[in-house]
């Protein structure tokens, strides 16, 4: 049953596959018009077609989160297609090169760190700031940053991935800074942990489905006015920092 005004529009970055596609599908299922952000033209087109076949009003947005020009063009595309933006899900992310399944901080190539940060942190800031004028036109703008409990300084979970885990720690921190900045507005921003999900990111060796991983993002994207902001959540609630 569709329970969201069909005029609402959501942009999901990295939405052509995995958790991003599941988020796009889930938001479409509750009535959002979905902008599918992805770099690859063919995969983006295929994702849009799959969403439309499932009944979602979807359109593609060429988007490379590491490029200022691409992000600016993406904002213009969303403005032409929808006029405003209600939900932004910053899902695009990379793990970075690993050596033996690890990123050992004692041998870490700084170029790997730079590459990971460029997508996982700088890309989020770049996209968020470019979409802010459109989000401010919404009655209930929501921003969801897809993080990981590997970024928690308290939990210290998962394998040793010094570049990836640190990027998620920084993403959690920048989420708090945005929440502080938006504290006197109606913009709500939170970080979400999807859990250990079976995607190409994990070599499809994980217990959770993309749909299960997408659930927390959809929940945060549809928070009511007055909902929490600046938090870090998974299916069980707040994640320890």
């Amino acid at each position: 049953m569709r329970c969201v005004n069909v005029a609402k529009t959501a942009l999901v970055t990295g939405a052509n596959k995995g958790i991003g596609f599941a988020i796009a599908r889930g938001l479409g299922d509750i009535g959002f018009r979905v902008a599918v952000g992805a770099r690859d033209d063919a995969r983006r087109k295929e994702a849009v077609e799959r969403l439309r076949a499932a009944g979602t009003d979807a359109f593609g947005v060429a988007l490379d989160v590491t490029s200022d020009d691409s992000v600016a063009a993406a904002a213009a595309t969303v403005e032409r297609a929808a006029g405003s933006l209600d939900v932004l899900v910053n899902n695009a992310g990379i793990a970075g090169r690993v050596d033996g399944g690890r990123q050992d901080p004692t041998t870490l190539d700084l170029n790997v760190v730079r590459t990971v940060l460029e997508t996982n942190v700088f890309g989020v800031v770049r996209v968020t700031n470019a979409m802010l004028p459109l989000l401010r036109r919404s009655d209930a703008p929501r921003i969801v940053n897809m993080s990981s409990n590997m970024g928690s300084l308290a939990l210290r979970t998962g394998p040793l991935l010094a570049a990836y885990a640190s990027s998620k720690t920084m993403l959690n921190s920048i989420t708090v800074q945005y929440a502080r900045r938006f504290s006197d507005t109606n913009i709500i921003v939170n970080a979400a942990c999807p859990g250990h999900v079976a995607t190409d990111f994990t070599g499809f060796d994980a217990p959770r489905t993309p749909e299960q991983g997408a659930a927390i993002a959809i929940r945060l994207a549809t928070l009511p006015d007055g909902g929490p902001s600046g938090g870090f959540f998974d299916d069980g609630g707040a994640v320890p920092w």
Side-chain angles (χ1 to χ4, degrees), residues 52-68:
R52 288 177 176 171
T56 293
D57 182 3
F59 63 97
V61 178
L63 179 56
D64 177 354
V65 303
T66 68
S67 165
D68 290 343

Side-chain angles (χ1 to χ4, degrees), residues 14-223:
N16 61 292
K17 61 181 179 178
I19 297 171
F21 181 82
I23 294 169
R25 174 72 182 269
L27 289 171
D29 285 346
I30 57 172
F32 276 90
R33 186 182 191 196
V34 179
V36 177
R39 290 180 301 176
D40 187 279
D41 292 341
R43 290 179 179 177
R44 184 177 62 251
K45 180 180 179 182
E46 180 185 3
V48 169
E49 290 173 350
R50 289 172 61 196
L51 289 168
R52 288 177 176 171
T56 293
D57 182 3
F59 63 97
V61 178
L63 179 56
D64 177 354
V65 303
T66 68
S67 165
D68 290 343
D69 290 343
S70 176
V71 171
T77 297
V78 174
E79 182 171 28
R80 285 194 301 270
S84 64
L85 187 63
D86 300 282
V87 168
L88 169 62
V89 181
N90 286 304
N91 169 75
I94 61 172
R97 191 177 74 245
V98 298
D99 182 9
R102 290 157 50 103
Q103 291 169 337
D104 187 331
T106 67
T107 58
L108 191 59
D109 184 341
L110 289 180
N111 287 325
V112 172
V113 179
R114 293 187 184 99
T115 299
V116 172
L117 290 177
E118 186 63 55
T119 294
N120 295 2
V121 181
F122 307 155
V124 170
V125 174
R126 184 178 287 115
V127 172
T128 299
N129 290 351
M131 299 299 165
L132 269 178
L134 300 178
L135 287 163
R136 293 186 189 277
R137 298 175 188 173
S138 171
D139 293 332
R142 305 291 181 259
I143 302 171
V144 182
N145 295 331
M146 296 305 291
S147 186
S148 167
N149 59 21
M150 290 181 64
S152 167
L153 301 179
L155 295 180
R156 305 181 188 184
T157 60
L160 193 64
L161 291 178
Y164 175 76
S166 298
S167 76
K168 295 304 183 180
T169 304
M170 188 172 178
L171 177 61
N172 292 345
S173 181
I174 200 71
T175 299
V176 172
Q177 297 305 309
Y178 273 114
R180 294 181 63 194
R181 174 61 179 83
F182 298 147
S183 62
D184 59 348
T185 76
N186 62 349
I187 301 175
I188 292 178
V189 55
N190 288 290
C193 174
H196 196 201
V197 176
T199 65
D200 57 358
F201 192 85
T202 60
F204 298 96
D205 183 20
R208 289 169 62 82
T209 67
E211 290 72 25
Q212 289 173 317
I216 183 60
I218 295 167
R219 188 184 313 167
L220 294 174
T222 55
L223 284 173

